[in-house]
Amino acid sequence: MRTHDDSWDIKTSVGTTAVMVAAARAVETERPDPLIRDPYAKLLVSNAGVGAILEALLDPSMVAKVAAIDAETGAVVQFMRSYQAVRTHFFDTYFADAVADGIRQVVILASGLDSRAYRLDWPAGTIVYEIDQPKVLAYKSATLAENGVTPSADRRAVPVDLRQDWPTALRDAGFDPAAPTAWLAEGLLMYLPADAQDRLFTQVGAVSVAGSRIAAETSPVHADERRAEFWARFKKVADVLGFEQTVDVQELIYHDPNRASVADWLNRHGWRAVANSAPDEMRRVGRWVDGVPMADDPEAFAEFVTAERL
């Protein structure tokens, strides 16, 4: 269970979710028609040492294997892969638009195994700050450096827990509060309590000048019954395939019914925000997955929110 002061590395707790996401990017990259390309995702997953179940996510035939056991679970696994590709593509485009408009300061909150500082084509003079747990950042930096991978921007790691005084740590790393900034909160908010989410956006706003931008993935809402059903289905499949389940992602997430709507909160606090439905974006780029059991519940899907500081 989560606690207010818990921490993790890449093999434990929330850290393992970064490996899951990187695995999805790796599989997408090897498709004949990839929506995104992440040449470093497979390297980061393969060296994480997190066990067979996560490494199996690199298997392009895994969806078919799961579907043979349970068709709906197979659809969910396919959806998860497609969703990660679409999410990555959406926020890649967000950054491309930001730098095209002259922004040269980027902050990725809870960056995990995000490799944008290495794989995107950043204009000269761009500084990318990555904030995350010290051990997570250390693993990524060391793994890529040991394999001869260098950043394509001025990458600056900021090893600090987002529940601590990260704005001070960010400024100590060279962050300029007077410069327009492009912020990203991807794969983060569901791991924060509702009050911590509000506090995070308040802190971002306090160091964001007019013209700054922020993009965020919202936390979807699943009923207790639906979560229990998903867990039972995944356990059945894992047992058949012989995978030991070491992490229950649902136990890492804060299911808070009082969580604020991100777009509404930003619109009330000095930003101009727009929310994009994840299913709509998946359909727009041709990556929607039919047969997903939660398709009839719009609250079960995230939104991709983008906003500009007024």
Side-chain angles (χ1 to χ4, degrees):
M1 296 293 292
R2 300 292 309 284
T3 62
H4 75 282
D5 59 352
D6 56 344
S7 62
W8 50 85
D9 59 16
I10 206 64
K11 298 181 183 181
T12 58
S13 187
V14 178
T16 60
T17 67
V19 183
M20 296 178 189
V21 173
R25 295 199 307 270
V27 171
E28 178 67 23
T29 298
E30 295 184 354
R31 284 176 57 122
D33 59 341
L35 192 61
I36 58 99
R37 295 181 184 275
D38 186 342
Y40 313 120
K42 188 172 184 178
L43 172 66
L44 290 167
V45 174
S46 299
N47 285 273
V50 290
I53 189 168
L54 292 182
E55 292 177 5
L57 294 175
L58 294 172
D59 182 356
S61 66
M62 184 53 59
V63 171
K65 293 177 181 177
V66 173
I69 301 168
D70 185 296
E72 286 194 350
T73 303
V76 171
V77 173
Q78 180 61 55
F79 173 86
M80 291 168 60
R81 285 184 171 178
S82 293
Y83 172 79
Q84 295 297 341
V86 172
R87 182 182 82 171
T88 301
H89 178 265
F90 183 91
F91 293 125
D92 281 0
T93 302
Y94 157 77
F95 278 133
D97 291 343
V99 297
D101 290 338
I103 292 178
R104 295 293 181 267
Q105 185 165 252
V106 169
V107 180
I108 302 177
L109 302 163
S111 59
L113 297 184
D114 185 307
S115 65
R116 290 185 176 97
Y118 296 84
R119 65 179 178 82
L120 294 187
D121 185 15
W122 299 101
T126 304
I127 304 175
V128 179
Y129 297 92
E130 294 188 356
I131 303 178
D132 210 323
Q133 294 277 345
K135 292 179 180 179
V136 173
L137 289 176
Y139 166 75
K140 178 169 62 178
S141 298
T143 300
L144 294 177
E146 289 166 3
N147 285 274
V149 181
T150 57
S152 54
D154 180 357
R155 173 184 177 264
R156 302 186 188 182
V158 185
V160 62
D161 192 307
L162 283 167
R163 294 164 297 186
Q164 299 171 357
D165 185 12
W166 63 265
T168 296
L170 184 60
R171 285 192 293 269
D172 289 346
F175 175 82
D176 180 4
T181 304
W183 302 83
L184 176 61
E186 177 188 30
L188 165 61
L189 300 183
M190 65 282 290
Y191 303 112
L192 297 177
D195 60 338
Q197 173 179 303
D198 293 349
R199 184 167 57 254
L200 178 73
F201 286 128
T202 298
Q203 291 170 309
V204 169
V207 292
S208 295
V209 296
S212 292
R213 303 179 187 185
I214 189 167
E217 173 196 22
T218 68
S219 178
V221 178
H222 298 287
D224 291 341
E225 297 81 3
R226 181 60 60 85
R227 291 200 302 271
E229 177 188 347
F230 281 170
W231 176 247
R233 285 179 176 272
F234 279 113
K235 185 176 187 305
K236 170 187 173 182
V237 170
D239 289 345
V240 172
L241 294 176
F243 294 141
E244 179 184 358
Q245 292 178 291
T246 58
V247 176
D248 178 0
V249 174
Q250 293 299 323
E251 292 292 333
L252 305 177
I253 295 173
Y254 286 94
H255 305 283
D256 195 329
N258 298 315
R259 188 184 298 276
S261 159
V262 173
D264 290 348
W265 191 98
L266 290 171
N267 279 324
R268 293 195 306 269
H269 291 84
W271 300 81
R272 182 173 57 245
V274 176
N276 302 271
S277 159
D280 286 351
E281 183 65 13
M282 294 178 75
R283 291 185 177 97
R284 187 184 72 80
V285 297
R287 287 301 178 87
W288 177 252
V289 177
D290 291 325
V292 178
M294 63 275 199
D296 59 347
D297 181 7
E299 290 191 345
F301 299 96
E303 292 180 327
F304 304 144
V305 176
T306 55
E308 182 174 357
R309 189 68 164 159
L310 302 176

